């Protein structure tokens, strides 16, 4: 019997377009002799589009309006064996959809409510991983209300970290809303931007030198495995949205050009983080490696990483001998597995 899969894409976050790109690749790759796949695109306003609207959105690459209230669709989703929530960012990668699917009793690809919610929030991730002994850069939390009512207190927190520093919405991805702040006078616009996207903002110390950026994929549920380590190189101040998604701006190196013991440490630390955060199915764990000093810091955990055929996560597993279509098949199998 073929498994009936509901593939969710789009969504309300700043990563709507990125999700649709990923979904096109997954849709093309799920083997049709094993799966009956129904894609449903969620508009930027959070409405679930019917098949015609979905088809149009997949072709045009966006879905600004239209669709039904979520709950109508979830009721009919009981006809599916599993859901692939290929959504990035808030209302998709953060436990909200996972909660809805859990309530509806439908198995789904990836982490559950807890792992998704904690991993999405950069502050919660840092707190949990600190207690697991994972090395991370210095950081401070600021709330929107504090920035509004006591800006000097927020500025003092930034000063403790020193410049340059990074300002990030705590719950986002694709570098949306992230600024590298080189001096105090640029702090306010960076905070305004981040707070326009999130109630919680994280201030992060920069590594002592410009770091090398290495990433590793994790696959599995309670017995996860790590992929080879990959590295990204690019000519930009940091790995911002444009550098991420403009063809030819960044280069992927698989395996990363790292001493063997560093690569091993990356893999081992990523597995420890995956377990500490109660992740499931998949995650891409991002690190900073400071070549000059040998320091290695975990940056973040992405529970639904970019998933086009040229994205880092599938490329990492391809290097381990798992093709893209085998990988998506494996993910659905993991969703259906008893834990
Ligand atoms: P993703 O698309 O991987 O989900 P994201 O939006 O969650 O990304 P981060 O990975 O936290 O954002 O940061 C984006 C980029 O900013 C990093 O890849 C790196 O280039 C730069 N960066 C972020 N924090 C730091 C830091 N503390 N020190 C140096 N560079 C940093
Ligand atoms: Mg991220
Ligand atoms: Mg992400
Ligand atoms: Mg990242």
């Amino acid at each position: 019997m073929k498994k009936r899969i509901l593939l969710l894409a789009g969504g309300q976050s700043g990563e709507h377009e990125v999700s649709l790109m990923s979904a096109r690749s997954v849709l093309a790759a799920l083997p049709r002799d094993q799966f009956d796949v129904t894609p449903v695109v969620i508009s930027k306003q959070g409405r679930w589009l019917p098949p015609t609207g979905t088809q149009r959105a997949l072709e045009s690459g966006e879905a600004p309006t239209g669709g039904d209230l979520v709950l109508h669709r979830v009721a009919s989703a009981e006809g599916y064996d599993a859901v692939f929530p290929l959504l990035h960012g808030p209302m998709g990668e953060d436990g909200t959809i996972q909660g809805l699917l859990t309530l509806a009793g439908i198995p789904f690809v990836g982490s559950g409510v807890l792992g998704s919610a904690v991993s999405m929030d950069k502050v919660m991730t840092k707190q949990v991983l600190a207690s697991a002994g994972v090395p991370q850069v210095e950081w401070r939390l600021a709330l929107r209300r504090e920035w509004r009512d006591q800006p000097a207190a927020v500025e003092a927190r930034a000063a403790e970290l020193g410049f340059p520093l990074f300002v990030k919405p705590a719950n986002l991805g694709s570098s949306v809303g992230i600024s590298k702040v080189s001096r105090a006078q640029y702090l306010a616009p960076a905070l305004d931007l981040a707070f326009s996207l999130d109630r919680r903002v994280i201030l992060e110390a920069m590594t002592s030198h410009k770091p090398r950026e290495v990433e590793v994929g994790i696959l599995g549920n309670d017995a996860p495995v790590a992929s080879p380590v990959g590295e990204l190189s690019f000519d930009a101040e940091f790995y911002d949205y444009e550098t991420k998604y403009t063809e030819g701006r960044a280069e992927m190196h698989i395996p990363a050009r790292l001493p063997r013991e560093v690569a091993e440490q990356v893999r081992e630390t990523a597995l420890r983080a995956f377990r500490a955060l109660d992740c499931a199915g998949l995650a891409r764990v991002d690190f900073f490696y400071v070549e000059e000093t040998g320091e290695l810091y975990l940056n973040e955990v992405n529970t639904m990483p970019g998933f086009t055929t040229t994205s880092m996560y599938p490329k990492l597993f391809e290097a381990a001998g798992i093709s893209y279509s085998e990988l998506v098949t494996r993910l659905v199998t993991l969703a259906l597995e008893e834990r």
Side-chain angles (χ1 to χ4, degrees):
M1 258 280 272
K2 285 196 203 181
K3 298 282 180 212
R4 294 153 307 170
I5 308 298
L6 174 63
L7 177 68
L8 293 177
Q12 295 178 67
S13 85
E15 296 185 273
H16 177 94
E17 289 82 3
V18 179
S19 161
L20 288 177
M21 287 193 270
S22 298
R24 276 194 289 256
S25 298
V26 168
L27 194 54
L30 276 167
R32 289 303 189 273
D33 56 336
Q34 294 175 55
F35 302 110
D36 250 333
V37 190
T38 307
V40 168
V41 169
I42 301 176
S43 75
K44 287 182 177 175
Q45 289 159 352
R47 301 301 167 106
W48 296 31
L49 300 185
T52 46
T54 287
Q55 199 50 45
R56 229 178 294 128
L58 284 168
E59 280 158 20
S60 71
E62 65 164 356
T65 55
D68 293 333
L69 270 173
V70 173
L71 292 176
H72 284 260
R73 289 277 165 153
V74 175
S76 59
E78 278 170 40
Y80 296 101
D81 295 301
V83 176
F84 198 141
L86 193 44
L87 302 159
H88 310 300
M91 311 289 182
E93 198 178 349
D94 64 349
T96 49
I97 287 278
Q98 289 76 10
L100 194 68
L101 296 173
T102 303
L103 284 172
I106 310 162
F108 54 91
V109 171
S111 295
V113 172
L114 178 64
S116 300
V118 177
S119 302
M120 185 82 263
D121 187 283
K122 293 178 191 295
V123 171
M124 288 306 291
T125 300
K126 287 218 165 29
Q127 287 173 329
V128 171
L129 295 186
S131 70
V134 172
Q136 302 167 96
V137 296
E138 281 282 305
W139 59 273
R140 299 286 184 275
L141 166 69
L143 301 179
R144 185 185 279 148
R145 192 189 176 92
E146 295 176 313
W147 178 231
R148 194 184 64 207
D149 297 347
Q150 307 150 266
V154 175
E155 282 161 357
R157 263 171 247 168
E160 284 165 17
L161 298 172
F163 296 93
L165 56 76
F166 278 81
V167 174
K168 312 179 183 180
N171 294 271
L172 245 172
S174 290
S175 300
V176 174
I178 295 185
S179 308
K180 178 178 175 180
V181 179
S182 54
R183 40 212 291 198
Q185 70 203 88
Y186 303 133
L187 183 63
L191 285 165
D192 288 340
L193 172 65
F195 280 120
S196 72
L197 299 164
D198 202 337
R199 209 187 102 245
R200 287 155 66 79
V201 163
I202 187 167
L203 308 166
E204 280 187 24
M206 196 181 156
T207 47
S208 60
H209 301 77
K210 190 169 186 231
R212 287 174 53 186
E213 307 211 16
V214 297
E215 304 189 343
V216 64
I218 304 292
L219 177 65
N221 288 335
D222 293 337
V225 296
S227 72
V229 180
E231 177 173 0
L232 289 153
S233 64
F234 47 84
D235 185 17
E237 271 298 306
F238 71 97
Y239 198 28
D240 57 12
Y241 188 94
E242 249 199 271
T243 311
K244 270 179 195 172
Y245 300 113
T246 311
E247 179 94 39
R249 288 283 184 87
E251 210 181 323
M252 233 178 249
H253 310 271
I254 303 173
R257 303 153 301 181
L258 291 173
R260 188 162 8 149
E261 62 281 7
V262 176
E264 217 22 69
Q265 200 186 337
V266 166
R267 288 156 46 93
E268 186 267 320
T269 308
L271 282 167
R272 187 144 45 99
F274 188 90
R275 291 196 174 97
L277 293 163
D278 194 31
C279 294
L282 75 165
R284 196 195 73 228
V285 187
D286 299 351
F287 290 83
F288 299 133
Y289 175 59
V290 185
E291 194 167 15
E292 289 84 349
T293 60
E295 290 155 279
L296 180 70
Y297 298 106
L298 190 150
N299 170 32
E300 60 148 354
V301 177
N302 292 286
T303 53
M304 193 53 77
F307 221 106
T308 68
T309 50
T310 58
S311 297
M312 181 62 102
Y313 182 87
K315 283 285 173 199
L316 290 170
F317 279 101
E318 200 179 289
I322 303 177
S323 73
Y324 187 92
S325 81
E326 280 172 308
L327 184 62
V328 290
T329 303
R330 194 85 75 90
L331 287 171
V332 174
T333 310
L334 284 166
L336 297 167
E337 177 184 291
E338 191 156 343
R339 294 176 69 192

